[in-house]
Amino acid sequence: MLEPRLIKEKKSYSSLRNPAKEISAWLAETLPHVPKDARIAVLGLGDGQHIRQLLNMGYINLSVLEFDPWVISCFETFHKDLLESYPSFRVHRLYGHSYFEDDFSGYDYFLPFRSCWHNNAKIFSELYSCLMSQGSILNYHQNLEISDQSKKAKAIRALVSMGLKSGVK
Amino acid sequence: MSSQKILVVTVMRLGDTFQHLNLIGSIQKKHGFDSTIDMVVTDYSEQLIELKGHPSLDAIRKFFSIPYSKWQKELTSRYLSIDKKIQDLLRISESLSRENYDFVYNLSNTDFSYRLLDLVESKNVVGAYYRQGKATYSSSKVKLFLDEYGFTRSSYRLSLVEALANSLDLQIPTKTILARRSLNKKPKVLFQVTTSDQKKKLTYSKWKDVFRLIQNQCQIEVLSSASEFADLQTEFLGYAHVKSLTIKECFSYLNSVDLVVSLDTSILHLAALNGINCLGVFLGSGHKDLTAPFVENAKLISAKSDCYPCSHSQACSQSSHLCEQSLTADEITKGILSSLSSRNENRVLDVSPNDWANQSGL
């Protein structure tokens, strides 16, 4: 069976030459860091082939974060079987910059699949740097008001003080 | 006075935590021996939770462990979430707040510990801490201590633990050596030759020279962790018997040893805590004034190069390891033989651990 390939505004959501190689390279780079029972969020849905591979490899506590409703509806059409076969698998739709209001604390790992970010690269990068440990902690910290004495703000300051090389005091 | 609940915060490395245990007796004396003492440690030092048989350790009711090294590692990871760590830290601080401590003693001079105490609700804090984001000191002596000991200098009047005790109005016990009657025909000398910090290391060939010089007078044993056992056994084959011990096993094994020779490591402080005769070899950022083992008659050998002592956080700035080269095998051997002869001059005490507090003036 031919695998669906998404192209929008002349941009492909996966490698045109060798999508399988692109996914294997991504998996090889990413997976050594990730235990199978981890709660994973993949940033970017794209053609969905990388998601299919992850689920088939046993990474079932999986969600995908995606901004583009068209990509989501394509996925629901072409990969309906995944949504039916893996009950813990979710597609988490994000609405522009309001993602700052979403709660991401349920995830252990955030895996960026950059090849499919083309049309939303800027906002995906922002989201990723916000969620990423070091980027996120510095972002959070830099955006903290000095007067913010909420418990969360204090916890962030404590974590920043743990000797991060680029940590700010 | 009703019994008080005390929390002791020592979020540092294992060696520092062993040194801080010297202050537990004084805290007990100050707040009554019926007070309950809990301790916050990090995963760097949580091995001490398993240790029993020392009055300071036995006085601790409950340990709370913060996964500090795990978080440090994860905070630099490319993929791990920060939100989970925030939630975990809040959970730990809430469980500490629920204990409603009468006094919290901060024995750690780290920014993290001050920030942690901004999250923990308690009636009184002794030491440095943040309150609503502002640096706060329980007394002017605490600020003076942090000003004086906050950066590396060539010499200090008091060791870190002595100065810390003074700043918190705690009495540090008289340095004690619980010399044991040796059952060994030849004195048994236990060596800790490895450390995680490259700057504090002596080369294996220099240790071998030392072993060659003392092998007729002593039984030589080299302490090893499980992970380095195979390497050390190959390295010191024919020179020393290599023993792989956990901290818990080492804690009891030390009682059969006549002398511990160690680089600036937690083993040196564990030996000191047990009242074992020690010889510390200080190189690199291992500062002999600051972190000398707290035990009577401990002998210290330190580097003689101009660059010694250097800063903790920086790599060696020299083209070769000058401070290591400034120490000879002869000097270390002399130190060992002198430590072993002074051992024979020590008054031999037959004391049980429970008598220890009285012996040390507590």
Side-chain angles (χ1 to χ4, degrees), chain A residues 29-30 33 39 104-105 107-112 128 131-134 136-137 140 149 151-152 154-159 161-162 164 169, chain B residues 67-69 71-72 74-87 89-90 94 97 111-113 115-116 118-119 121 132-133:
Chain A
E29 189 208 333
T30 309
H33 307 278
R39 295 165 301 174
F104 298 107
S105 60
Y107 301 116
D108 300 316
Y109 288 81
F110 295 99
L111 310 183
Y128 183 49
L131 296 171
M132 277 261 294
S133 303
Q134 197 167 348
S136 146
I137 199 165
Y140 271 129
Q149 293 305 325
K151 286 200 166 176
K152 187 174 178 184
K154 287 177 184 175
I156 292 167
R157 289 193 179 99
L159 289 167
S161 71
M162 291 178 72
L164 281 176
K169 297 232 169 174
Chain B
Y68 194 92
S69 71
W71 284 349
Q72 270 187 324
E74 288 183 359
L75 282 164
T76 54
S77 154
R78 294 175 58 198
Y79 302 111
L80 281 164
S81 147
I82 174 70
D83 287 295
K84 191 166 179 297
K85 281 175 274 296
I86 295 172
Q87 298 307 324
L89 180 57
L90 288 175
E94 273 158 23
S97 297
D111 201 44
F112 175 77
S113 67
R115 299 272 179 200
L116 174 69
D118 204 1
L119 284 163
E121 286 160 32
Q132 296 304 318

Side-chain angles (χ1 to χ4, degrees), chain B residues 50-281:
Chain B
E50 295 178 355
L51 305 183
K52 291 274 174 261
H54 187 281
S56 296
L57 284 164
D58 296 345
I60 312 291
R61 180 189 67 148
K62 193 163 37 165
F63 286 95
F64 294 87
S65 179
I66 291 182
Y68 194 92
S69 71
K70 183 172 171 263
W71 284 349
Q72 270 187 324
K73 206 170 150 194
E74 288 183 359
L75 282 164
T76 54
S77 154
R78 294 175 58 198
Y79 302 111
L80 281 164
S81 147
I82 174 70
D83 287 295
K84 191 166 179 297
K85 281 175 274 296
I86 295 172
Q87 298 307 324
D88 287 348
L89 180 57
L90 288 175
R91 204 170 303 123
I92 293 169
S93 63
E94 273 158 23
S95 58
L96 290 170
S97 297
R98 271 199 301 277
E99 295 281 348
N100 197 20
Y101 290 107
D102 295 300
F103 286 87
V104 175
Y105 278 84
N106 187 6
L107 307 186
S108 340
N109 47 342
T110 63
D111 201 44
F112 175 77
S113 67
Y114 315 148
R115 299 272 179 200
L116 174 69
L117 294 184
D118 204 1
L119 284 163
V120 177
E121 286 160 32
S122 64
K123 292 172 192 160
N124 300 287
V125 181
V126 184
Y129 56 104
Y130 279 95
R131 198 48 90 227
Q132 296 304 318
K134 277 183 72 175
T136 311
Y137 309 94
S138 61
S139 71
S140 55
K141 282 204 275 185
V142 171
K143 187 169 186 318
L144 272 175
F145 162 70
L146 291 172
D147 287 346
E148 194 174 341
Y149 285 78
F151 58 94
T152 306
R153 297 199 302 201
S154 56
S155 67
Y156 294 88
R157 195 170 52 86
L158 294 172
S159 76
L160 197 60
V161 69
E162 287 168 313
L164 174 69
N166 279 353
S167 75
L168 303 180
D169 287 326
L170 295 173
Q171 287 175 328
I172 191 141
T174 316
K175 288 181 184 176
T176 304
I177 186 159
L178 304 181
R180 282 124 175 110
R181 281 197 184 90
S182 178
L183 299 172
N184 304 316
K185 281 183 187 167
K186 270 185 178 181
K188 191 192 281 182
V189 184
L190 185 68
F191 288 83
Q192 172 68 38
V193 300
T194 55
T195 156
S196 56
D197 188 341
Q198 288 296 330
K199 290 189 297 184
K200 296 181 183 177
K201 276 184 183 169
L202 207 62
T203 59
Y204 287 158
S205 62
K206 200 163 278 176
W207 283 119
K208 283 183 205 167
D209 290 342
V210 173
F211 296 165
R212 216 175 283 128
L213 289 165
I214 61 166
Q215 64 190 357
N216 290 332
Q217 292 107 304
C218 313
Q219 298 177 62
I220 304 168
E221 292 188 342
V222 168
L223 188 61
S224 154
S225 65
S227 62
E228 61 199 8
F229 180 70
D231 287 347
L232 289 180
Q233 211 175 25
T234 313
E235 190 68 46
F236 294 111
L237 189 66
Y239 289 91
H241 178 56
V242 179
K243 280 191 95 69
S244 170
L245 299 174
T246 62
I247 289 287
K248 189 180 177 186
E249 290 163 342
C250 188
F251 189 60
S252 50
Y253 185 72
L254 283 172
N255 289 322
S256 69
V257 169
D258 297 293
L259 174 68
V260 170
V261 180
S262 172
L263 302 166
D264 181 21
T265 67
S266 55
I267 296 300
L268 189 63
H269 299 299
L270 181 63
L273 191 68
N274 262 3
I276 307 292
N277 209 5
C278 299
L279 172 69
V281 180

